[in-house]
Amino acid sequence: MKKYIEPRRYLVNCSSRSLPHIFTDVLVIGSGAAGLRAAIDAATTCRVIVLTKDDQLAGSTQHAQGGIAVVVGSDDSFEEHISDTLATGQGLSEPDVVRTIITEGPERFRELLEWGAEFDRTAAGDLDFTLEGGHSRPRIVHARGDATGSEIQATLCAAVRDNPNIRIMEHAFAVDLVTDGNLWRGALVHNEEGGVVLSWARATILATGGCGMLFRETTNPAAVTGDGYAMAYRAGAELQDMEFIQFHPTTLYVAGASRALISESVRGEGGKLRNDLGERFMQHYHPDAELAPRDVVSRAIITEMKRTQATNVLLDVTHMPPGAFAERFPTIYSICRDFDIDVTTSFIPVRPSAHYMVGGVKVDTQGRTSIDRLFAAGEVASTGLHGANRLASNSLLEALVIGHNAGRMAAAHAASNQEPVVRHAIIDDFQPERPGTLIVADVTNSLRALMWRYVGIERNSEDLAAAERAVDSWCSYVMAREFDTPEGWQLQDMLTLAKVITVSARRRTETRGVHCREDFPKISEQWQHHSSIRRKEDKRR
Ligand code: FAD
Ligand code: SIN
């Protein structure tokens, strides 16, 4: 059997010698909160290109519901937010990083207001704060009820639109990172016209978001397939805590419906979970009941589903007066209505699904990875803020803070590197392999089902070993193939990532935060540290 990960063969029915080259100071891969926030800062002194594999709204940011956790309430304090974040992180959050991100947050939030973002306010005109699991007080600011992400994305898109230093390339899929010695970085990019270009930059920022689509059940949109983790891994960057995947407890579960998120803030506003028999159960699992940390709620739901032999549990919001739910949660209300669920009289069928990658490409608070001139920000990055579990609504905060810092730092690196670029051919040994007999969608769907079943909410060594065997077997005939579409490259990235996650999950022989091992049900002192994984040898560069 072939070694499980091989360097990607780049070339797509052409020799690299004939590929067009484009140049910029800073290349940002990803147009969500982290990527756009980084671009805005980098563009104060540099030329910036932002790539997005679909349109600008393709990532998770556009879909964020609950809000941003940020200390802007007059009676809130940094210390309380820090303490809630550390408690949720179960011993693995980095205290210095937590402090930096939480204390820099209010400034990033005020900038959004300056750029025109509108957040919901009380009748008296003050910001309206909601509550989510793990927060000791209402601290989450939200926009248009449950459309916070769309408000942030629109604000950032407007801020980059008229910036002459920023060029957005839509439908531009980053196939892989490239390097010219140690000075220039960039990416091989498949563009809208179906051609491939080498996009060179003095500094590159990965802002490709998470990887929810690796799992059959997920809240994430289709573009969120984890390409950035795989690219960074192939490039030899250090990744950490890749076993920590957060499952959101409440995703709409109706045959034929997309797995739409039912925001935690619905429980923050009094929503109650009931099992299939109609009984409330969260009070038996945690003193904070429905507002316990997400890992606790997700596992309680799975236990109740098993106990009552049901496919889902129910979310009861019938306590809200008619009209109030629609006003506070217009997006969720309308999704439910599309499936004939009248939330004022019936319960919403929900179950957990993959939501957020807690681990990622290891970075410091300036977004620096272990590779010179390669930065990362947002969900693809791991700063150590979240530890073993993410406190609700801390990720948009992190994306904005680290995006800003990475943009500034990448611009500084670009300014200090003025060497001319060499027009390298990066690989010229393209040998078409087998003809295209592979049905990419079939392997992709099988992989997603496998990850959900064996590397999902509850894990054990037997299942993880079975997952690894299956992934290895698929890798043996998918990795060596030459693809010429994003779907094929994405599948290779998903397989790479599946292997990285499964190996990391197998190694961590304890239960901590979102990583639940049935065969190691307790926290272990031996595992009081981050896990780390990187590619050992780099044949390509
Ligand atoms: P994204 O916004 O996911 O953007 C990723 C970008 O990378 C996209 O532009 C995509 O096109 C691009 N990309 C990816 N791969 C490639 C490639 N190969 N080539 C080119 N481009 C590529 N967090 C909170 O704090 N509060 C919330 O209320 C909240 N609600 C959420 C609700 C939902 C339904 C989901 C899914 C997540 C939610 N989260 C929330 C999490 C949060 O939204 C994300 O962690 C955050 O938006 C990630 O931002 P990002 O910029 O890192 O990535
Ligand atoms: C939600 O609204 O429940 C999602 C919040 C988050 O992921 O932080």
Side-chain angles (χ1 to χ4, degrees):
M1 188 171 294
K2 282 183 189 296
K3 198 162 171 291
Y4 76 88
I5 284 162
E6 300 203 329
R8 169 169 290 165
R9 287 172 180 261
Y10 293 117
L11 297 184
V12 195
N13 300 329
C14 59
S15 151
S16 59
R17 292 206 171 94
S18 64
L19 292 182
H21 298 242
I22 55 176
F23 303 94
T24 187
D25 296 316
V26 175
L27 177 70
V28 179
I29 310 178
S31 66
L36 295 185
R37 192 61 198 76
I40 290 167
D41 265 89
T44 54
T45 53
C46 287
R47 291 165 309 151
V48 181
I49 289 179
V50 179
L51 306 178
T52 166
K53 64 159 109 166
D54 201 310
D55 63 25
Q56 281 181 62
L57 313 182
S60 293
T61 301
Q62 170 70 14
H63 301 270
Q65 293 185 352
I68 313 179
V70 61
V71 180
V72 287
S74 54
D75 53 352
D76 200 357
S77 73
F78 290 139
E79 295 316 314
E80 283 171 272
H81 191 183
I82 289 169
S83 150
D84 292 345
T85 302
L86 291 173
T88 304
Q90 299 217 3
L92 288 191
S93 294
E94 291 300 324
D96 292 348
V97 172
V98 173
R99 181 168 292 281
T100 301
I101 292 174
I102 285 174
T103 54
E104 290 183 13
E107 191 48 37
R108 303 287 80 81
F109 175 69
R110 274 189 279 275
E111 282 164 354
L112 287 179
L113 296 178
E114 274 166 31
W115 296 334
E118 289 187 16
F119 287 84
D120 296 333
R121 293 184 180 267
T122 62
D126 300 323
L127 283 166
D128 184 31
F129 298 101
T130 192
L131 186 62
E132 290 183 325
H135 288 274
S136 52
R137 61 161 61 242
R139 155 178 310 127
I140 292 115
V141 290
H142 47 90
R144 286 184 273 129
D146 53 7
T148 311
S150 135
E151 182 70 10
I152 294 172
Q153 184 81 47
T155 304
L156 293 173
C157 284
V160 299
R161 194 173 304 132
D162 300 324
N163 190 319
N165 277 351
I166 301 177
R167 173 180 169 202
I168 305 269
M169 287 174 64
E170 292 189 314
H171 305 282
F173 182 92
V175 182
D176 219 349
L177 295 170
V178 292
T179 184
D180 161 21
N182 262 333
L183 295 175
W184 282 76
R185 306 258 165 232
L188 189 74
V189 182
H190 181 263
N191 63 22
E192 203 164 3
E193 293 76 44
V196 177
V197 296
L198 273 165
S199 177
W200 293 107
R202 298 179 194 275
T204 298
I205 304 175
L206 265 182
T208 43
C211 62
M213 286 302 287
L214 191 52
F215 294 84
R216 194 191 71 202
E217 303 293 329
T218 182
T219 62
N220 290 190
V224 184
T225 52
D227 313 349
Y229 306 100
M231 282 190 263
Y233 182 79
R234 280 192 297 273
E238 182 178 359
L239 276 62
Q240 73 177 5
D241 296 341
M242 295 299 288
E243 62 275 30
F244 291 118
I245 289 149
Q246 184 172 65
F247 296 86
H248 197 292
T250 52
T251 314
L252 180 66
Y253 191 71
V254 178
S258 68
R259 298 295 186 244
L261 180 74
I262 309 292
S263 175
E264 189 154 326
S265 49
V266 171
R267 281 172 282 130
E269 304 283 344
K272 301 287 179 254
L273 285 166
R274 298 185 182 279
N275 63 23
D276 204 42
L277 308 173
E279 305 156 342
R280 268 192 76 198
F281 56 87
M282 273 314 302
Q283 70 279 14
H284 304 308
Y285 291 88
H286 195 279
D288 293 337
E290 276 81 2
L291 288 177
R294 282 184 192 169
D295 57 311
V296 177
V297 183
S298 288
R299 288 205 285 270
I301 291 175
I302 294 293
T303 307
E304 290 296 315
M305 281 164 49
K306 280 185 189 156
R307 201 173 65 77
T308 60
Q309 299 194 320
T311 53
N312 56 273
V313 295
L314 303 160
L315 183 59
D316 173 4
V317 297
T318 55
H319 68 287
M320 288 181 87
F325 188 89
E327 195 183 327
R328 174 66 182 85
F329 299 108
T331 313
I332 299 170
Y333 177 78
S334 126
I335 293 167
C336 289
R337 205 187 39 200
D338 283 349
F339 289 91
D340 276 343
I341 301 166
D342 176 358
V343 297
T344 60
T345 52
S346 343
F347 302 153
I348 307 170
V350 291
R351 63 186 248 168
S353 72
H355 183 58
Y356 183 85
M357 168 49 94
V358 173
V361 182
K362 186 178 177 183
V363 294
D364 64 11
T365 55
Q366 306 307 304
R368 285 179 284 228
T369 70
S370 58
I371 294 185
D372 192 30
R373 295 174 202 278
L374 177 66
F375 299 81
E379 192 166 336
V380 73
S382 171
T383 57
L385 170 71
H386 309 305
N389 193 2
R390 175 175 67 95
L391 182 64
S393 289
N394 262 358
S395 51
L396 287 171
L397 176 78
E398 186 190 42
L400 293 169
V401 170
I402 304 299
H404 161 83
N405 294 350
R408 226 176 22 175
M409 195 51 71
H413 274 256
S416 67
N417 161 29
Q418 289 303 319
E419 293 85 351
V421 69
V422 180
R423 286 170 180 261
H424 275 296
I426 47 170
I427 275 193
D428 57 6
D429 66 346
F430 173 63
Q431 297 280 328
E433 298 240 343
R434 285 164 277 180
T437 49
L438 185 80
I439 302 172
V440 170
D442 196 29
V443 186
T444 306
N445 289 337
S446 302
L447 174 63
R448 296 182 65 206
L450 178 95
M451 291 299 284
W452 178 246
R453 184 157 176 209
Y454 290 140
V455 197
I457 298 171
E458 293 174 324
R459 301 160 173 182
N460 61 60
S461 60
E462 221 175 286
D463 286 354
L464 292 170
E468 236 183 296
R469 279 195 301 276
V471 171
D472 281 342
S473 139
W474 291 326
C475 282
S476 71
Y477 57 87
V478 174
M479 287 311 200
R481 263 169 211 262
E482 195 61 37
F483 290 101
D484 58 3
T485 62
E487 289 70 32
W489 295 313
Q490 256 169 212
L491 172 60
Q492 289 179 323
D493 286 342
M494 289 167 88
L495 283 167
T496 300
L497 183 58
K499 180 80 184 191
V500 165
I501 292 172
T502 308
V503 166
S504 305
R506 191 170 46 72
R507 284 186 191 153
R508 187 175 284 277
T509 47
E510 66 164 353
T511 290
R512 185 190 294 265
V514 295
H515 176 63
C516 171
R517 286 285 302 253
E518 294 166 319
D519 41 356
F520 296 95
K522 296 211 168 85
I523 279 194
S524 157
E525 280 309 305
Q526 281 182 316
W527 274 104
Q528 184 61 40
H529 58 82
H530 299 283
S531 68
S532 166
I533 189 163
R534 74 195 298 170
R535 196 163 161 225
K536 294 235 164 39
E537 86 251 59
D538 186 4
K539 290 183 188 165
R540 213 183 57 194
R541 298 184 181 93

